[in-house]
């Protein structure tokens, strides 16, 4: 009996020692990131903007779509002229939903979402501008830039200190998609070389 228990214990110990080390999240050091100041949801069905929401969404169904307007404000950092956009999904973020293609397109915005939002059609709209690129997302790391599409996310102008807000839009890719995340843990962010 003791021999069998000892053999099982040694076998389990050998397996645990041979197991690969856990993957390290690819989130960059806190010293060179700028997280969003606000997330706002834009309804493609009604034109309404819900300002300063806690959860972002890039969702498209047969009844309409929702995009997220991401606002960055730089009030204290002296940044270089060029930043990169990245999209991180924290492995512990219970708000994360990935359905459909699990991809999002990132667009620049002519203007960030207005404080207070908007009740619907008649302005200001989502202010969508240039397609900057597409990320393939997964929980527990930075999304991968999809090759063969625009790569503008690698060279956006860093927000200058106290120069006002800068906006981007996170848009669903497929005909039926749902990507959601919590502002406090995940989502679009800016980074730069130090």
């Amino acid at each position: 009996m003791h021999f069998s228990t000892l053999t099982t214990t040694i076998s389990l110990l050998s397996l645990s020692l041979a197991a690969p080390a856990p993957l390290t999240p690819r989130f960059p050091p806190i010293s060179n990131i700028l997280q969003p100041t606000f997330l706002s949801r834009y309804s493609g069905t009604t034109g309404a903007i819900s300002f300063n929401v806690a959860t972002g969404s890039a969702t498209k169904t047969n009844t309409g779509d929702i995009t997220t307007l991401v606002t960055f404000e730089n009030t204290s950092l002296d940044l270089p002229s060029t930043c990169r956009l990245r999209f991180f999904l924290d492995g512990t973020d219970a708000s994360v939903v990935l359905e459909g293609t699990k991809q999002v397109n990132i667009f620049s915005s002519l203007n960030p979402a207005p404080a207070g939002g908007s009740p619907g059609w008649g302005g200001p709209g989502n202010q969508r501008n240039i397609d900057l690129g597409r990320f393939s997302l997964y929980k527990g790391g930075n999304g991968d830039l999809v090759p063969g599409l625009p790569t503008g996310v690698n060279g956006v102008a860093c927000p200058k200190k106290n120069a006002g807000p800068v906006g981007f839009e996170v848009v669903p890719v497929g005909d039926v998609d749902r990507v959601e995340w919590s502002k406090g843990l995940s989502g679009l962010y800016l980074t730069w070389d130090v």
Side-chain angles (χ1 to χ4, degrees):
M1 183 82 162
H2 291 300
F3 179 74
S4 175
T5 304
L6 181 61
T7 303
T8 303
T9 303
I10 290 172
S11 296
L12 290 174
L13 182 59
S14 297
L15 286 173
S16 67
L17 292 174
L23 295 175
T24 303
R26 295 184 288 165
F27 199 65
I30 199 73
S31 64
N32 67 329
I33 68 167
L34 184 63
Q35 294 177 323
T37 309
F38 303 109
L39 297 183
S40 301
R41 285 191 182 194
Y42 173 77
S43 169
T45 305
T46 66
I49 298 172
S50 300
F51 183 72
N52 196 19
V53 297
T55 306
S57 179
T59 301
K60 186 170 185 180
T61 65
N62 58 3
T63 59
D65 62 300
I66 294 174
T67 66
T68 296
L69 308 175
V70 183
T71 303
F72 293 92
E73 289 185 280
N74 176 10
T75 59
S76 62
L77 301 170
D78 291 317
L79 300 180
S81 59
T82 304
C83 282
R84 291 181 307 281
L85 284 164
R86 294 294 176 257
F87 203 108
F88 177 77
L89 292 177
D90 189 284
T92 64
D93 187 348
S95 296
V96 170
V97 176
L98 288 169
E99 295 175 356
T101 66
K102 300 177 184 168
Q103 296 182 343
V104 292
N105 282 339
I106 309 299
F107 286 83
S108 62
S109 292
L110 295 170
N111 290 299
S118 173
W121 297 122
N126 57 351
Q127 300 287 308
R128 186 179 297 172
N129 193 18
I130 298 169
D131 184 356
L132 298 174
R134 179 177 294 176
F135 287 110
S136 183
L137 304 175
Y138 61 93
K139 195 169 182 177
N142 280 315
D144 297 317
L145 194 58
V146 175
L149 296 171
T151 58
V153 294
N154 286 325
V156 299
C158 290
K160 297 194 183 316
K161 183 166 55 172
N162 297 319
V166 175
F168 298 93
E169 184 178 14
V170 181
V171 179
V173 171
D175 290 333
V176 179
D177 268 351
R178 184 173 168 216
V179 176
E180 294 185 354
W181 65 95
S182 166
K183 177 188 170 212
L185 296 173
S186 300
L188 197 66
Y189 68 93
L190 286 164
T191 186
W192 56 90
D193 294 328
V194 289

